């Protein structure tokens, strides 16, 4: 399949590298030509920074930019690509942001966290697809199957629920790791000592219902420990961590108050 990509950030980079193994990446478009060239060189594609240079003979255009930029991109490019299937990669953006301007539209959303420093296990990354036209669904399905063993035809509302859940499961969880590191760093304790606990917690959450796996002083209703921890954070001068600790503890207590 002949594919071009709008964007040169983390999602665009990982998609380009993965898809280039089985498909032809024709062009990488970015407003910053240097960024486009950096990625294009890695996947043997042409780098462009002008919309009118986008090749209309491609089979698919992937818009892999920030959510707030998707509308502007489709408005700018749709007229010269009337026969090309155009998809965005956002979990929180409705398909209709594309269909308002372009009939052959779709979504190609990977439920994964992306960093330049880490490779992605595409075979085990869920991919969620949606198309405006039924005839385009098979095209996206074939493309998705070339990357992942987990492909799901989900609508925009279902995708949004996954994106929101992902913020809790990934972004908020990572910030909790950050707060934990701040606590031990203050006493010059090695954060690596928490690795086995972090990994075991993740295993339990993925192999069981997280609700039944909840442990800790808030789950037990251990008021003495809760008070001690909050005083420790206050003595550290970390009201921000104390507030987070208190809020999370209260939510756990409410959740399990009827157990």
């Amino acid at each position: 399949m002949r594919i071009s990509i709008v964007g040169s950030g983390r999602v665009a980079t990982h998609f380009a590298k993965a898809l280039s193994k089985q498909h032809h990446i024709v062009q990488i478009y970015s407003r910053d030509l240097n960024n486009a060239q950096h990625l294009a060189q890695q996947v043997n594609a042409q780098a462009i920074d002008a919309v009118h240079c986008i090749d209309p003979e491609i089979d698919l255009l992937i818009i892999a930019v920030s959510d707030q930029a998707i509308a502007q991109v489709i408005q700018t490019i749709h007229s010269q690509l009337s026969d090309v299937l155009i998809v965005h990669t956002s979990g929180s953006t409705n398909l209709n942001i594309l269909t308002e301007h372009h009939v052959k539209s779709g979504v190609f959303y990977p439920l994964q966290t992306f960093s330049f420093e880490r490779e992605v296990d595409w075979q085990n990354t869920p991919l969620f697809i949606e198309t405006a036209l039924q005839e385009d669904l098979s095209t996206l399905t074939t493309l998705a199957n070339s990357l992942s063993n987990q492909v799901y035809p989900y609508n925009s509302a279902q995708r949004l629920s996954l994106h929101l859940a992902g913020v809790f499961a990934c972004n908020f969880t990572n910030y909790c790791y950050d707060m934990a590191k701040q606590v031990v760093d203050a006493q010059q304790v090695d954060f690596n000592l928490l690795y086995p606990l972090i990994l075991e917690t993740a295993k339990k959450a993925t192999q069981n219902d997280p609700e039944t796996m909840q442990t800790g002083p808030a789950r037990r209703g251990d008021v003495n420990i809760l008070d001690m921890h909050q005083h420790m954070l206050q003595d550290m001068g970390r009201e921000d961590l104390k507030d987070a600790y208190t809020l999370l503890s209260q939510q756990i207590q409410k959740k399990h108050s009827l157990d």
Side-chain angles (χ1 to χ4, degrees), residues 167-181 191:
V167 170
F168 280 98
C170 175
N171 307 135
F172 290 170
T173 300
N174 189 74
Y175 186 62
C176 284
Y177 298 152
D178 183 3
M179 290 190 290
K181 189 173 187 300
F191 178 69

Side-chain angles (χ1 to χ4, degrees), residues 16-36:
K17 289 181 177 180
L19 290 171
S20 67
K21 296 176 181 178
Q22 301 183 60
H23 305 276
H24 180 198
I25 306 300
V26 180
Q27 295 172 317
I28 302 293
Y29 167 84
S30 174
R31 290 177 297 180
D32 186 322
L33 185 59
N34 288 330
N35 290 341

Side-chain angles (χ1 to χ4, degrees), residues 101-247:
H101 306 279
H102 192 76
V103 175
K104 291 178 67 64
S105 296
V107 179
F108 199 62
Y109 168 57
L111 184 59
Q112 188 56 273
T113 176
F114 294 96
S115 300
F116 287 120
E117 302 83 1
R118 295 184 62 83
E119 295 297 321
V120 171
D121 179 4
W122 280 105
Q123 287 194 335
N124 293 306
T125 294
L127 283 173
F128 301 91
I129 59 176
E130 181 181 13
T131 58
L133 302 177
Q134 185 63 33
E135 64 196 55
D136 291 325
L137 187 60
S138 61
T139 300
L140 272 196
T141 300
T142 300
L143 181 65
N145 284 331
S146 73
L147 285 182
S148 173
N149 294 324
Q150 300 185 51
V151 178
Y152 305 92
Y154 272 23
N155 62 37
S156 294
Q158 291 173 314
R159 235 179 20 258
L160 179 57
S161 71
L162 280 168
H163 190 267
L164 174 57
V167 170
F168 280 98
C170 175
N171 307 135
F172 290 170
T173 300
N174 189 74
Y175 186 62
C176 284
Y177 298 152
D178 183 3
M179 290 190 290
K181 189 173 187 300
Q182 293 176 55
V183 170
V184 294
D185 282 352
Q187 293 296 330
Q188 298 181 328
V189 173
D190 189 355
F191 178 69
N192 293 358
L193 294 172
L194 289 169
Y195 286 3
L197 177 63
I198 291 171
L199 295 175
E200 178 60 19
T201 302
K203 287 180 182 178
K204 290 199 298 184
T206 55
Q207 296 172 4
N208 304 271
D209 185 338
E211 180 181 4
T212 63
M213 293 295 102
Q214 186 67 57
T215 60
R219 175 66 178 85
R220 299 191 302 270
D222 194 332
V223 177
N224 291 333
I225 296 296
L226 293 173
D227 287 343
M228 180 179 66
H229 285 170
Q230 290 175 82
H231 280 108
M232 285 176 62
L233 294 170
Q234 187 171 1
D235 291 342
M236 290 169 58
R238 296 303 304 268
E239 290 294 331
D240 55 336
L241 297 185
K242 178 186 174 185
D243 290 344
Y245 182 97
T246 300
L247 177 61

Side-chain angles (χ1 to χ4, degrees), residues 53-147:
C53 292
I54 297 178
D55 187 347
E57 299 302 317
I58 55 176
D59 302 306
L60 176 71
L61 182 75
I62 299 176
I63 301 175
V65 298
S66 64
D67 290 5
Q68 59 266 30
I70 295 174
Q72 180 182 358
V73 170
I74 190 62
Q75 291 174 39
T76 304
I77 67 175
H78 74 93
S79 60
Q80 68 189 75
L81 300 172
S82 57
D83 295 326
V84 175
L85 175 59
I86 300 176
V87 302
H88 71 63
T89 61
S90 170
S92 58
T93 303
N94 199 289
L95 173 61
N96 63 22
I97 200 168
L98 298 183
T99 57
E100 287 178 5
H101 306 279
H102 192 76
V103 175
K104 291 178 67 64
S105 296
V107 179
F108 199 62
Y109 168 57
L111 184 59
Q112 188 56 273
T113 176
F114 294 96
S115 300
F116 287 120
E117 302 83 1
R118 295 184 62 83
E119 295 297 321
V120 171
D121 179 4
W122 280 105
Q123 287 194 335
N124 293 306
T125 294
L127 283 173
F128 301 91
I129 59 176
E130 181 181 13
T131 58
L133 302 177
Q134 185 63 33
E135 64 196 55
D136 291 325
L137 187 60
S138 61
T139 300
L140 272 196
T141 300
T142 300
L143 181 65
N145 284 331
S146 73
L147 285 182

